[in-house]
Amino acid sequence: MSRVKTLIITGFGINCEVETAAAFKLAGAEADIIHLNDIFLRKYSIHKYDIITFPGGFSFGDDLGSGKVLANKMKYKHLVSGKLFLDELMDFLFDGKYILGICNGFQFLVKMGLLPNINGDLSQEVSLTHNDSARFEDRWVYCKVTQNLKSPFLRDIDVIYLPVRHGEGKLVIKNERIKIEILHNNLNCMSYCSNDGIITSEYPHNPNGSELNCAALTSTSGQILGMMPHPEAYTSLYNNPNWAQWKRKDPEISEEGEGLKIFRNIVEHIKYKKD
Amino acid sequence: MKDQVQLVLKDSIRDVRGEQVAARVKNYLGYDTGIIRTGKVYTIMYDLNKKDLKQFAQTGLADEILHDIYINAFYKDSFYRSYILISKLPGVTDDEGMSAQKTLSDMMGMEIDTATQNIFSHDVYYFGNKLDREELAEIAEKLLGNPLIHHFEYGKSLKKVEYIPLVRIKKPDKPDVINIFEDDEELLRLSRDMLLSLNLQEMRAIKSYFKQDQVMQSRIRRGMPANPTDCELEILAQTWSEHCKHKEFNAVIHYRNLETGEELEINSLFETYIKKATQIIMERLEKTGNNWLLKVFNDNAGVVRIDEDTVFVWKVETHNSPSAIDPYGGAITGILGNNRDPLGTGMGGAKLIFNTDVLCFGPLDYNKELLPGQLHPRTVFSGVRHGIEDGGNKSGIPTVNGAIIFDERYSGKPLVYCGTGGIMPSRVLESRTWEKRISAGDIIIMAGGRVGKDGIHGATFSSAEIDENSPQSAVQIGSPLTQKLLMDFMQEAVQLGLIRCSTDNGAGGLSSAVGELAKISGGALVNLEQVPLKYTNLKPWEIFISESQERMILVVTDDKKEILFKLAADREVELSDIGTFTDTGFLDVRYNNKRVALLDLEFLHEGVPQKMLEAEWIKPDLEEPQLPEITDYNKILLDLLASDNICSRESVIRQYDHEVQARTVIKPLMGPEGKAAQDAAVLRLTYDGFEGIAVANGIHPRYGDIDPYQMSAGAFDEAVRQIIAVGGCLPEVTEASNRFWSVNDNFCVPDSVYDPVTNTDGKLKLAKLVQMNQALYDMSTYFNIPMTSGKDSMKNDFRSGYAKISVPPTILYSMVAKIDDVRKSVTGEFKASEDLVYLLGRTHDELGGSEFYRLFGQLGANVPVVRKEKAKWLYKKIAKANELRLLESCHDISDGGMLTTLAECCIGSGLGADIWIDGFQDIPLNVIMFSETHSRFIVSVKQENRQTFENIFVHDGIFLGQITDSPILTVSYGKKIIIESSIEDMTKAWDKGLEK
């Protein structure tokens, strides 16, 4: 069996790197947590990895808008090699590899133009901004997965229960054309729904007022997934706020959390591809 | 040369912040503002050409999907008829401007100075309705900002922004020498004018020290004047402040109990009760091979052992005075400051895994006229809440639980308790991480934020009462981003073995941090000109005592310095080498090679004279009230659920990230709908194991109005029983279980020093404090739970003219205990229909101080009394029942009594219950339902386990009824149904409590 190597980016206020690395390890991958400046200043190569993850957190304190300052750093700041980090990422994708962005990581992928990138020119096509409640909220939501995707991340998942923890998670789409393209290509791969799996805009099922009730976006190739909910925060049954009633109902219930499935999917997919 | 960029949301984007402000203005101030549009202005002091400026505005500052951009021009729309512009005052933290500077440097590849403020951010609010200046000022000052930190401008349409908060200070004169060889009156004047907060006795002690021949000769020999310099006096004032030296907790107290005739001479409350209790417990633990109590009292936070490889460090503090005048800034610096305590314990660099915050406010519907300088409790509440949100969320530390208490006496000064726990590996490169080792020659490194005038005299300020003239420098805003970078860097550097030990810069700034550490090596030499500043022209003593936030002191050996600086540069954390530790016996402070202070460490730390205080206990004359006959218990239930101190905290909890790090197993809200409030938080320590900890808080200020001893004992019991409820086991002193328990005691009391004019009941207040300590001693030694850290805040009075609002004497016990297997923990909500419901623990006629009496505006006299022997007996049985997995749910009974607890179990689970009240013999109905007798629980049990359960608990468990699928709580008494309340109705009442 091949090894799957994951690069977890940290620094500048990112704060979910440890549990994200733990999730990948539980899913059978190797995970290295690397400070962004080790890539910018110390020539640390991203190319020895199979997947790069941008975890959740508050990079630059959400100043100037969530993910914004980090996105600009990646887009404009030169590495010591003279290249742009963005170009490195494009090479990484060209090699058929994968990128996962969770919460702040998703915000930053969107602001960098990597998601959804329908026009293919890395211009910003959507944004993630203040929730309709104008508040940061930590709550658990159900998400319906849109099937028949190229995305290996969400295979065999229909409805998934996960926590959201954000103040800026409302997806705003630049124009009607982009919206149609997103729908047409099934890029809105996870939608907020009620507990019986029906997609809804009703608060708090849709916690932020997102357009299309969208909780996650994938790139057309399926190589990039950006999601607002936190799968790394549900790798154990005991992360679930209702674990006690669930366990009572089914004493034999698996001690694994639903979020782990996403990590297993991608790790197994890469293993399969490599073998 | 300056440029300005304005961003305004596009018409197509819903302005949710504007909507929120409009709603708050309507609710709180009653104005109709019309539609509100929000915008940002950035003033840029760098020289940029037109092209760069445009690119920076478009890609650096704006989000092209969201914003319209105006460059050196301003948004105009005649629809909006008034505006408020909010800028920060000079020197106030402007993180957004700082981040903009960094992004400018990243984008343009420019080598610009990003460490000093060159981009300033301003907020603009445009209002659809025409509001006059007074209305705008009220909105600005009460809801949008705070005059202590913000500059406001108002008008019809914004045409220009001229205000730029540049700091300008004139070049300081050369350091002063202060003549203290003067009479008493002059000494007091000096203390007052220099804001030293030292009393006459202390000023005299300083004077006589400097007058000693030996001291004089020694000073002259070393080139110092006979009199102290300004810097020396300031250092003494900081080090001797109540905040740093706990002079009242270390005073000699003459205590007379007029109720019993008892008289006592207490030589230090701290030594007599807190320290002694912990020493006794430590001996008992060690005798039986329990070696988990590693460090108490002599570092920033106490340390206990989790297992061979990991130790736990934690601290709870208060930040009351700053929160009273700037709630947001006070709370955020409270959280971040408290984070730095475990972060700076031992070697430092602990991974912080939780925050827990307990808040005491005036009622949200407070309707008395506000005194000058007093903020409305609602303003305080919303600012403090926001500060905790940003302080925790932006640092990636989950806020796992807490408490909010409302009482009118907190409307002058709120209490803001911030607690933080962390874990460290027990060893790094063979050295014990919890120890602090320093040798002469080690280098003093300052890390993190820069130094400005922030918080100068902060420590002395919090020891004094606030008045309407409180100095502005008392207000600081934390920068969670700066601290996050510093924290990540420290964790990395400690793991690499680069740091010998560390400490935080808190009250007293460098003077306290270096002064404390210097005790270990026996001296220190500091070069103040090496300290990086936010702006020029600070005086040496200001640099030394400034409380600018987000700074740590790192102690480093010479061979590690270079590699440490390299790592710091990579992590964008500023370090400066500001001196060395010595063994000269002196704190030697220099500025450009000239000595500005030279103080003998022994005098500095041991020279403060002990205070002598009087305490006198008189039992309050109270009786039980005569209540009207209650005909509608359903209404009482709903009123209780909606009352301040019981109602749901969900709206607050949801704004705190309580799950980051993915460790929380019992979160503050659980159950199918996330409505089940829990007794204690349970956290998992690793991602592949199931060892964990439980975190709880006990606090009951109202009981203190009847009996401060029982208030303190009850709060202690509450913390213990909350941990028992979630599955904890009491610490053993009979065998080596190595299951740690630790408590942080936090006293917040009003001025308790008697004064015939200004504090006539000071002796009584001090007697209350004595009794609270006696209870602490009795409870902790009985349960063998040591105090590993603690804090006291002694002057919680708000004064304005002749008016004074004093907090009730309050004690918070925060407790953490090890949980062997988090999978076996027990939550509070019911689990399944047909389970049987029991009450554990005897109920007594103890309605005094209850929430039930409070509904009727009564206090009563029969305060809940802790029966610790019975409590321990019951807690052991519960642990046994949990071992056998007999308890499906367990919820402790506190505010509101048994009925409220039953309702919470239903609300949280979505299940109803049929309850029959018999089996209480002749206890009156109101007592059964509402008494807040301690050490009791509502539990549920599977039918098949009934016999085993009853065999364990026998008479300690009273059968109450059964859980039902039908979502209704029914209570029958005799043949009558007295309560029939749907979960929907109960939830509605419970949810609306904070919506005032």
Side-chain angles (χ1 to χ4, degrees), chain B residues 70-88:
Chain B
Y70 301 84
I71 297 175
N72 290 324
F74 292 94
Y75 168 76
K76 246 186 254 147
D77 185 338
S78 56
F79 176 83
Y80 296 99
R81 297 165 68 197
S82 31
Y83 76 88
I84 297 173
L85 173 77
I86 305 182
S87 313
K88 293 169 182 73

Side-chain angles (χ1 to χ4, degrees), chain B residues 3 48-59 71 104 107-108 110:
Chain B
D3 288 300
L48 298 180
N49 64 38
K50 267 195 173 163
K51 190 172 138 264
D52 285 353
L53 178 63
K54 192 170 169 195
Q55 201 205 334
F56 177 53
Q58 282 176 341
T59 19
I71 297 175
L104 175 66
M107 283 179 64
M108 309 293 181
M110 285 183 192

Side-chain angles (χ1 to χ4, degrees), chain B residues 463-752:
Chain B
S463 313
E465 293 146 342
I466 302 177
D467 65 29
E468 55 205 272
N469 302 318
S470 293
Q472 273 193 36
S473 61
V475 177
Q476 310 165 66
I477 310 284
S479 163
L481 178 60
T482 310
Q483 183 149 317
K484 173 71 176 148
L485 266 54
L486 174 62
M487 186 160 74
D488 290 354
F489 160 72
M490 271 186 71
Q491 280 156 5
E492 205 177 344
V494 167
Q495 295 315 310
L496 291 170
L498 301 178
I499 295 176
R500 249 198 129 183
C501 70
S502 58
T503 196
D504 83 309
N505 275 35
L510 286 172
S511 78
S512 297
V514 176
E516 274 294 311
L517 291 183
K519 284 199 275 190
I520 301 175
S521 67
L525 189 154
V526 180
N527 301 306
L528 288 176
E529 76 285 351
Q530 298 297 325
V531 175
L533 304 179
K534 292 184 183 177
Y535 33 79
T536 51
N537 290 345
L538 289 186
K539 296 175 189 157
W541 70 263
E542 289 178 321
I543 298 171
F544 204 46
I545 71 159
S546 159
E547 297 185 355
S548 289
Q549 298 288 301
E550 293 89 36
R551 289 182 299 148
M552 302 287 295
I553 291 294
L554 314 178
V555 181
V556 177
T557 52
D558 195 40
D559 56 322
K560 304 279 171 63
K561 184 180 155 185
E562 195 186 326
I563 173 162
L564 184 80
F565 270 70
K566 209 161 167 189
L567 179 68
D570 280 4
R571 300 299 175 253
E572 302 188 22
V573 171
E574 191 168 29
L575 298 190
S576 11
D577 174 344
I578 63 164
T580 47
F581 287 100
T582 64
D583 52 10
T584 59
F586 283 94
L587 178 59
D588 183 345
V589 187
R590 302 177 189 191
Y591 188 74
N592 289 331
N593 284 323
K594 193 174 170 350
R595 273 206 179 109
V596 292
L598 185 69
L599 285 168
D600 185 325
L601 279 178
E602 186 167 344
F603 173 67
L604 177 63
H605 289 296
E606 310 301 332
V608 59
Q610 198 175 17
K611 280 192 174 175
M612 311 286 276
L613 303 173
E614 295 282 320
E616 200 170 83
W617 170 248
I618 308 163
K619 194 180 169 165
D621 188 16
L622 297 166
E623 54 185 41
E624 285 291 291
Q626 290 291 321
L627 295 188
E629 199 193 332
I630 293 164
T631 51
D632 185 355
Y633 277 101
N634 281 312
K635 184 173 181 307
I636 299 277
L637 171 60
L638 297 181
D639 286 351
L640 274 176
L641 288 173
S643 67
D644 286 358
N645 287 328
I646 294 175
C647 70
S648 172
R649 271 54 177 148
E650 183 173 355
S651 61
V652 174
I653 293 167
R654 294 258 170 250
Q655 295 180 76
Y656 299 158
D657 189 333
H658 47 263
E659 311 196 67
V660 61
Q661 299 187 22
R663 297 174 194 276
T664 43
V665 169
I666 297 191
K667 307 171 201 290
L669 292 169
M670 301 284 284
E673 303 294 330
K675 294 270 179 206
Q678 302 296 319
D679 298 324
V682 173
L683 287 89
R684 190 179 171 186
L685 292 167
T686 60
Y687 300 100
D688 48 10
F690 292 96
E691 237 177 24
I693 52 169
V695 185
N697 291 291
I699 182 167
H700 265 302
R702 234 165 342 105
Y703 298 162
D705 296 338
I706 304 175
D707 186 335
Y709 179 94
Q710 290 301 340
M711 179 266 269
S712 171
F716 196 101
D717 179 72
E718 186 184 28
V720 176
R721 71 186 186 243
Q722 287 177 341
I723 291 180
I724 296 298
V726 298
C729 293
L730 285 177
E732 296 289 346
V733 288
T734 49
E735 53 179 291
S737 69
N738 277 308
R739 189 187 296 120
F740 81 79
W741 279 66
S742 150
V743 63
N744 266 245
D745 54 295
N746 250 284
F747 292 85
C748 284
V749 296
D751 187 355
S752 303

Side-chain angles (χ1 to χ4, degrees), chain A residues 19 37-38 42 61 63 68 72 76 124 127 132 138 140 165 236 238-239 241 243-245 248 255, chain B residues 14 59 62-63 99 394 570-572 654 657-659 661 665 667 671 684 823 830-831 835 888:
Chain A
E19 61 268 37
N37 269 356
D38 286 341
R42 300 270 160 228
D63 295 335
K68 176 86 179 162
N72 278 338
Y76 299 105
Q124 191 182 336
S127 194
D132 275 350
D138 177 339
W140 283 63
R165 312 192 308 251
S236 158
Y238 302 93
N239 293 135
W243 65 264
Q245 276 193 359
R248 168 63 190 275
E255 285 193 336
Chain B
R14 185 172 157 190
T59 19
D63 181 319
S99 288
K394 292 189 174 183
D570 280 4
R571 300 299 175 253
E572 302 188 22
R654 294 258 170 250
D657 189 333
H658 47 263
E659 311 196 67
Q661 299 187 22
V665 169
K667 307 171 201 290
R684 190 179 171 186
R823 293 173 294 184
F830 290 147
K831 299 299 179 310
D835 280 0
E888 297 301 309

Side-chain angles (χ1 to χ4, degrees), chain A residues 27-50:
Chain A
E30 291 169 20
D32 292 340
I33 298 172
I34 299 297
H35 195 284
L36 200 52
N37 269 356
D38 286 341
I39 298 166
F40 273 98
L41 308 173
R42 300 270 160 228
K43 301 185 183 174
Y44 196 92
S45 171
I46 62 173
H47 297 291
K48 56 183 168 188
Y49 294 93
D50 302 299

